[in-house]
């Protein structure tokens, strides 16, 4: 087919298609509206018929009640008939014999108001209501029946009330015969035929364009009626629509042929230029021969090719830039678990890809607050500052644009409205914000497994950009791009958290929640190095539950696990936040007490023993509590060793000494002979060092027990003040004492204002302090 033929066919399709569709739409709409209105009219008519029949039945029941309540029923019946309230009254006795009937009453049977009767196949002559006739004592004397004649006048009144044509059938079973009707002879047969095929009270349509509906007989309406209304469609509608379509088709053919002739030559030139562009020649141009639409089309094509060349060059540059960003992002994700660095690379890549002036990555922290992890270009754009004066972007979840994005999980973009009220968000003109969640949370939410009350996966944070360069607002492409970078941010956060959780699980005992033996070796080395670097003391407590094998043999290993978990909980309750608790294996535990001397370690040991001894451990499914005790061995760096291994071995030796001494006590390891250090007592007027921490290796006389080595603490675990609890004399050299950190008072083992490790990285502590 030639170009002219294709243009003609296309024009005809474009023009005639809407014309044909419009004609079909008009015809179908008119038919649908007509049927809808007719159905509505018939529904109103059916409701009116039921209301009218119900009102008549209520009147008949009232008349029957009047007759039944009078002393002379026959006189009352005659009066009601005379006044025209009823057509006839029938009174029967208990045996069914007629005792009174109004003169001129219609022949029976009468159709009962209560609904269809067994004689529903007979013609309807009258509508009746029945009332029992009783004496003063309440004994049944018979029945009073009030009837209203159903005649053409009655049917005409129904038609006048409803505004539709009404037909009363001989029976409710079929529409074969008519008793009374207001239909004309021309449409009566068609209406009855349609009524005979009607299913229930559904509306049907006749060939003459009338809508028909059957009403009853039913419990609420005992009369077999048929109502109909004429169609309101304009006559000759379809003929008029066909004529309009034919005329429009002729005009469209003539116009298409003319336009095809005029546009053939320019379009052929344009087709040739397009073919050259399709083969990669962006220098192709079309001669502009006129100033009409075709001329503007040629000029637009030429401008398009020029701009396309510019766009291709820009896209090539942007592609190379994006590849660079993705390469940096991929290298960062693969080479580090530094969350701040990863998020900063993602933010800078997103800013470079969208052309934004500024941006921020915020993560949801405890308390439902979004806190900026990294920002770019937002200096001075929000009013809130930290206590140290540094600016911090904090946005409560649900507040502002960023808070709403985190709360709803729906991205937002637009223009910020200027306001005089202070805001917790950065000041900007335009913005785009995208939430991101952990990949597992998104998949669970889609499967209906893990989401909040609204069905949305919980957001980890929000990636927000502000003030796009060279454009009024961020567009949908920017939103798609930002979604991609938000997905990288979600993966990064999730990977870092999974890595941290894996590290925590690798260093944690699963039963007690304490650190495991692997982390004990690392921690004791680190704490010994810190104590050596700052001249501090470090106490190591080796703990062992006494006769724990008897617990497992008596109550079972499940009860033993319960005892171990409860013991770990009590240990956490008796140590400071800076102290470290470990499960070395089985029923053996180790405590590291930084900046604590032997006296403070002994106080902790006494408290641990009392916490276990005084409160038996309840085990589920057993009648009584389990009584356990603990033995403790104490060693102090540098008194009992110069390395972490030596101090730990000294604590184990002291633990064996406590076991040998009868268990449920503690022992302090013997001080090495070459370590000339001891605990110095504190006088009331002594001055503590500026930092308030105990010092290791202070000069002074050594407190030695008769016949034994030098000690910094008593060697037996007896209560303070007893004869066996020998503390150094308070008169010894008060100038070099350290009162605050020696843990010599009753509360020395509890955390104070100056507690905590002095330096070095620490993972989260399992202890909660006191």
């Amino acid at each position: 087919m030639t170009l002219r033929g294709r243009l003609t066919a296309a024009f005809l399709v474009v023009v005639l298609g809407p014309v044909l569709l419009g004609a079909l739409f008009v015809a179908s709409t008119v038919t649908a509206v007509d049927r809808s209105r007719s159905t509505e009219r018939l529904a109103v008519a059916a409701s009116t018929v039921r209301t009218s029949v119900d009102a008549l039945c209520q009147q008949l029941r009232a008349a029957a009640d009047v007759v039944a309540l009078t002393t002379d029923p026959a006189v009352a019946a005659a009066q009601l008939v005379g006044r025209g309230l009823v057509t006839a009254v029938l009174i029967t006795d208990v045996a069914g014999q007629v005792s009174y009937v109004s003169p001129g009453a219609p022949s029976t049977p009468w159709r009962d108001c209560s609904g269809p009767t067994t004689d529903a196949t007979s013609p309807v002559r009258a509508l009746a209501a029945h009332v029992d006739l009783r004496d003063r004592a309440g004994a049944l004397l018979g029945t009073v029946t009030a009837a209203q004649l159903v005649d053409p006048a009655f049917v005409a009144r129904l038609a006048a009330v409803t505004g539709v044509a009404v037909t009363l059938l001989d029976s409710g079973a079929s529409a074969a015969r008519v008793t009374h009707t207001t239909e004309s002879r021309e449409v009566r047969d068609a209406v009855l035929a349609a009524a005979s095929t009607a299913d229930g009270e559904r509306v049907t349509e006749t060939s003459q364009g009338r809508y028909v509906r059957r009403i009853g007989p039913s419990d609420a309406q005992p009369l077999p009626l048929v109502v109909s209304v004429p169609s309101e469609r304009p006559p000759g509608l379809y003929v008029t629509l066909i004529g309009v379509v034919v005329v429009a088709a002729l005009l469209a053919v003539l116009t298409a042929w003319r336009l095809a002739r005029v546009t053939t030559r320019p379009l052929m030139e344009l087709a040739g230029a397009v073919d050259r562009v399709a083969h990669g020649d962006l220098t192709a141009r079309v001669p502009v021969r006129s100033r009409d639409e075709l001329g503007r089309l040629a000029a637009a094509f030429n401008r398009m090719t020029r701009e396309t060349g510019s766009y291709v060059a820009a896209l090539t540059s942007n592609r190379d830039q994006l590849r660079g960003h993705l390469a940096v992002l991929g290298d960062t994700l693969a080479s580090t678990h530094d969350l701040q660095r990863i998020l900063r690379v993602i933010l800078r890549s997103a800013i470079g890809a969208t052309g934004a002036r500024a941006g921020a990555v915020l993560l949801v922290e405890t308390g439902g607050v979004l806190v900026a992890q990294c920002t770019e270009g937002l200096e001075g754009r929000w009013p809130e500052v930290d206590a140290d004066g540094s600016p911090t972007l904090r946005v409560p979840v649900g507040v502002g644009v960023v808070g709403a994005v985190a709360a709803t999980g729906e991205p937002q973009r637009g223009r910020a409205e200027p306001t005089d009220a202070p805001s917790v968000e950065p000041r900007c003109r335009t913005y785009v914000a995208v939430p991101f969640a952990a990949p597992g949370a998104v998949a669970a939410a889609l499967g209906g497994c893990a989401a909040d009350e609204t069905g949305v996966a919980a957001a980890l944070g929000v990636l927000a950009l502000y003030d796009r360069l060279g454009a009024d607002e961020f567009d949908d492409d920017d939103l798609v791009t930002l979604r991609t970078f938000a997905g990288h941010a979600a993966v990064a956060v999730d990977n870092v958290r999974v890595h941290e959780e894996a590290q925590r699980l690798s260093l944690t005992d699963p039963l007690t929640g304490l650190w495991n033996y692997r982390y004990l070796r690392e921690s004791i080395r680190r704490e010994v190095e810190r104590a050596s670097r700052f001249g501090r003391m470090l106490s190591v407590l080796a703990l062992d539950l006494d006769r724990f094998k008897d617990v497992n043999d008596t109550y079972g290993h499940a009860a033993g696990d319960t005892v171990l978990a409860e013991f770990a909980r009590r240990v956490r309750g008796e140590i400071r936040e800076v102290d470290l608790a470990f499960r070395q294996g089985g029923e053996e535990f180790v405590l590291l007490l930084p900046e604590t001397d032997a006296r403070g370690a002994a106080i902790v040991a006494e408290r641990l023993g009392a916490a276990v001894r005084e409160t038996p451990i309840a085990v589920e499914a057993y009648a009584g509590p389990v009584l356990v005790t603990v033995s403790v061995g104490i060693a102090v760096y540098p008194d009992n060793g110069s390395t972490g291994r030596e101090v730990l071995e000294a604590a184990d030796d002291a633990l064996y000494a406590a076991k040998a001494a009868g268990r449920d006590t503690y022992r302090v390891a013997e001080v090495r002979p070459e370590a000339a250090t001891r605990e110095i007592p504190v006088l009331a007027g002594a001055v503590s060092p500026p930092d308030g921490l105990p010092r290791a290796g202070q000069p002074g006389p050594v407190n030695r027990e008769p016949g034994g080595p030098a000690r910094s603490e008593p060697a037996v675990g007896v209560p303070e003040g007893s004869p066996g609890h020998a503390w150094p004399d308070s008169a010894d050299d008060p100038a070099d004492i350290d009162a605050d950190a020696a843990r010599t008072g009753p509360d020395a083992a509890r955390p104070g204002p100056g507690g905590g490790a002095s330096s070095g990285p620490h993972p989260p502590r399992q202890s909660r302090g006191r």
Side-chain angles (χ1 to χ4, degrees):
M1 183 181 293
T2 63
L3 175 62
R4 183 179 302 177
R6 289 197 299 271
L7 287 175
T8 303
F11 185 82
L12 291 177
V13 170
V14 171
V15 173
L16 291 182
V19 172
L20 291 175
L21 292 177
L24 294 176
F25 176 74
V26 170
S28 61
T29 301
V30 170
T31 301
V33 170
D34 177 57
R35 183 177 182 86
S36 177
R37 293 182 61 181
S38 300
T39 301
E40 184 178 356
R41 288 181 60 190
L42 291 177
V44 173
S47 178
T48 305
V49 166
R50 291 189 179 94
T51 303
S52 301
V53 173
D54 183 68
L56 178 59
C57 289
Q58 294 293 337
Q59 179 180 337
L60 293 176
R61 291 189 185 94
D65 284 333
V66 170
V67 174
L69 293 175
T70 59
T71 56
D72 192 350
V75 174
Q79 290 178 353
L80 291 175
V81 173
R83 294 180 180 179
L85 297 177
V86 296
T87 301
V89 175
L90 174 66
I91 303 176
T92 59
D93 56 15
V94 178
Q97 299 297 322
V98 177
S99 59
Y100 173 81
V101 63
S102 299
S107 59
T108 57
W110 299 339
R111 186 62 56 93
D112 190 359
C113 282
S114 60
T117 63
T118 56
D119 194 18
T121 58
S122 61
V124 180
R125 300 181 179 86
L127 193 62
H130 303 280
V131 175
D132 292 338
L133 180 63
R134 299 179 183 273
D135 59 10
R136 294 182 180 276
L140 181 64
L141 301 178
T143 303
V144 177
T145 304
Q148 177 65 45
L149 181 64
V150 178
D151 55 2
F154 176 81
V155 176
R157 287 196 300 272
L158 285 180
V161 170
T162 58
V164 298
V166 179
T167 300
L168 177 64
L169 304 177
D170 278 354
S171 65
S174 67
R177 294 179 298 173
V178 177
T179 302
H180 308 294
T181 182
T182 60
E183 298 280 3
S184 62
R185 292 181 179 274
E186 292 78 8
V187 299
R188 180 182 302 173
D189 294 337
V191 169
L192 293 178
S196 63
T197 60
D199 183 11
E201 295 190 358
R202 295 182 59 185
V203 176
T204 58
E205 186 177 1
T206 66
S207 58
Q208 287 83 5
R210 294 186 68 85
Y211 293 94
V212 181
R213 175 176 175 174
R214 298 188 64 175
I215 306 174
S218 62
D219 293 339
Q221 200 287 105
L223 300 179
L225 299 176
V226 175
V227 294
S228 68
V229 292
S231 173
E232 296 180 358
R233 285 194 298 269
L237 173 64
Y238 299 125
V239 176
T240 302
L241 291 177
I242 292 174
V244 170
V245 172
V246 171
V247 172
L250 293 176
L251 293 176
V253 170
L254 294 176
T255 305
W257 179 77
R258 177 62 180 171
L259 290 176
R261 286 190 61 187
V262 173
T263 56
T264 298
R265 182 180 177 183
L267 288 178
M268 291 300 294
E269 294 175 346
L270 182 62
V274 169
D275 186 64
R276 291 172 57 189
V277 172
H279 286 84
D281 184 9
L282 296 179
T283 62
R285 300 293 182 267
V286 178
V288 180
R289 302 183 182 277
S290 62
R291 295 184 179 180
D292 58 3
E293 288 78 3
L294 291 176
R296 292 200 300 271
L297 178 61
F301 176 81
N302 296 336
R303 186 171 62 255
M304 179 188 68
T305 54
R306 288 193 299 269
E307 293 181 357
T308 301
S310 301
Y311 290 154
V312 169
L315 287 175
T316 302
S317 176
N318 291 338
R319 179 195 61 189
D320 297 338
Q321 184 180 7
L322 183 59
R323 285 178 177 175
H325 287 311
L326 292 178
V328 173
L329 179 60
D331 293 341
T332 304
L333 290 175
S335 62
T336 182
H337 287 96
D338 185 353
L339 184 60
Q340 296 293 329
R341 178 184 173 190
I342 295 174
L343 294 181
R344 187 168 298 280
V345 170
I346 292 174
L347 178 60
R348 290 176 177 174
S349 301
I351 290 176
T354 58
R357 293 180 183 271
V361 180
L362 303 95
L363 297 183
V364 178
E365 295 191 353
T366 305
V369 178
L370 286 163
V371 179
Q373 303 299 312
C374 61
T375 61
E376 287 289 335
L378 292 182
E379 291 75 9
R381 292 194 179 212
W382 67 89
E384 186 177 349
V385 296
D386 276 345
D388 58 357
S390 60
T392 302
L393 178 58
R394 298 178 182 271
V395 181
V397 174
V399 176
V401 174
V402 176
V405 170
T408 62
E410 295 294 332
Q412 293 189 21
R413 64 180 179 88
R415 181 177 295 276
E417 297 296 334
T419 178
D420 297 332
S423 174
V424 295
E425 293 187 277
R427 294 181 292 274
C428 64
R429 294 188 303 274
T430 60
Y431 62 87
V432 58
V434 175
F436 56 88
V442 174
L446 293 176
C449 301
D452 55 19
E453 290 108 3
T454 62
V456 178
L460 290 176
V462 176
L463 175 58
L465 301 181
Y466 303 98
D467 295 341
R468 182 183 178 187
L469 294 171
D472 292 336
E473 295 184 13
F474 293 93
D475 54 24
D476 292 337
D477 292 336
D478 297 325
L479 191 61
V480 173
T481 303
L482 201 60
R483 282 180 182 272
T484 302
F485 286 103
H488 288 302
V491 173
V493 173
D494 190 59
N495 287 344
V496 170
R497 292 183 176 179
V498 169
H499 177 72
E500 292 176 351
E501 180 64 14
Q503 283 190 321
R504 188 191 67 81
L505 292 177
S506 68
L507 302 175
T508 304
D509 177 60
L511 175 62
T512 62
L514 303 180
W515 299 117
N516 58 19
Y517 180 71
R518 174 185 176 187
Y519 190 57
L520 169 62
R521 292 182 298 175
E522 176 184 346
S523 298
I524 196 169
R525 176 189 57 79
R526 183 183 64 246
E527 295 297 339
V528 167
E529 290 178 355
R530 179 183 291 112
S532 175
R533 182 166 62 253
F534 293 100
R536 309 289 192 231
M537 289 182 133
L538 171 67
S539 292
V540 179
L541 275 67
L543 294 78
D544 187 272
L545 292 176
D546 299 327
R547 297 184 177 87
F548 184 74
K549 184 177 181 301
D550 296 342
V551 175
N552 284 334
D553 295 342
T554 303
Y555 302 100
H557 288 278
D561 291 344
T562 302
V563 171
L564 291 176
E566 174 61 20
F567 175 71
R569 187 190 67 80
R570 296 184 185 183
V571 168
R572 286 194 295 266
E574 296 297 332
I575 61 178
R576 304 169 301 175
E577 185 71 21
V578 297
D579 300 334
L580 295 173
F582 305 85
R583 183 186 179 192
Q584 190 173 11
E587 68 274 19
E588 298 178 2
F589 298 82
V590 174
L591 297 181
L592 299 185
L593 310 181
E595 300 166 356
T596 304
D597 56 13
R599 180 186 293 267
I603 294 175
V604 174
E606 290 176 354
R607 286 178 174 163
L608 287 174
V612 176
R613 180 191 318 109
E614 296 173 0
T615 306
I617 299 176
V619 177
E620 188 177 357
Y622 294 100
V626 177
L627 300 176
V628 294
T629 57
V630 62
S631 298
V632 183
I634 302 173
V636 180
Y637 172 86
D639 293 350
N640 304 118
S642 58
T643 65
R645 182 173 181 178
E646 292 178 356
V647 177
L648 187 59
E649 290 176 353
D652 286 337
D653 293 340
L655 173 63
Y656 292 137
K659 290 282 189 180
R663 297 180 175 85
D664 190 17
T665 185
Y666 71 88
R667 288 291 184 271
V668 179
E670 296 182 354
V671 179
R672 296 182 303 175
E674 67 275 9
T677 60
R678 70 182 183 89
E679 177 94 5
I680 299 177
V682 180
L683 293 181
V687 178
S688 299
D691 57 2
L693 299 175
R695 301 292 182 179
Q698 294 289 345
V702 178
N703 179 32
R704 297 180 179 272
E705 296 181 0
R711 292 177 181 268
S712 61
E713 288 297 328
V716 295
V718 294
E720 183 178 355
S722 63
H725 201 100
W727 297 108
D729 184 56
S730 61
D732 293 340
D733 194 10
D736 296 329
I737 62 174
D738 187 337
D740 291 340
R743 295 203 198 200
T744 55
D747 295 330
R750 301 185 180 274
S758 58
S759 66
H762 278 283
R765 308 286 189 181
Q766 289 94 341
S767 60
R768 58 174 178 83
R770 296 176 299 280

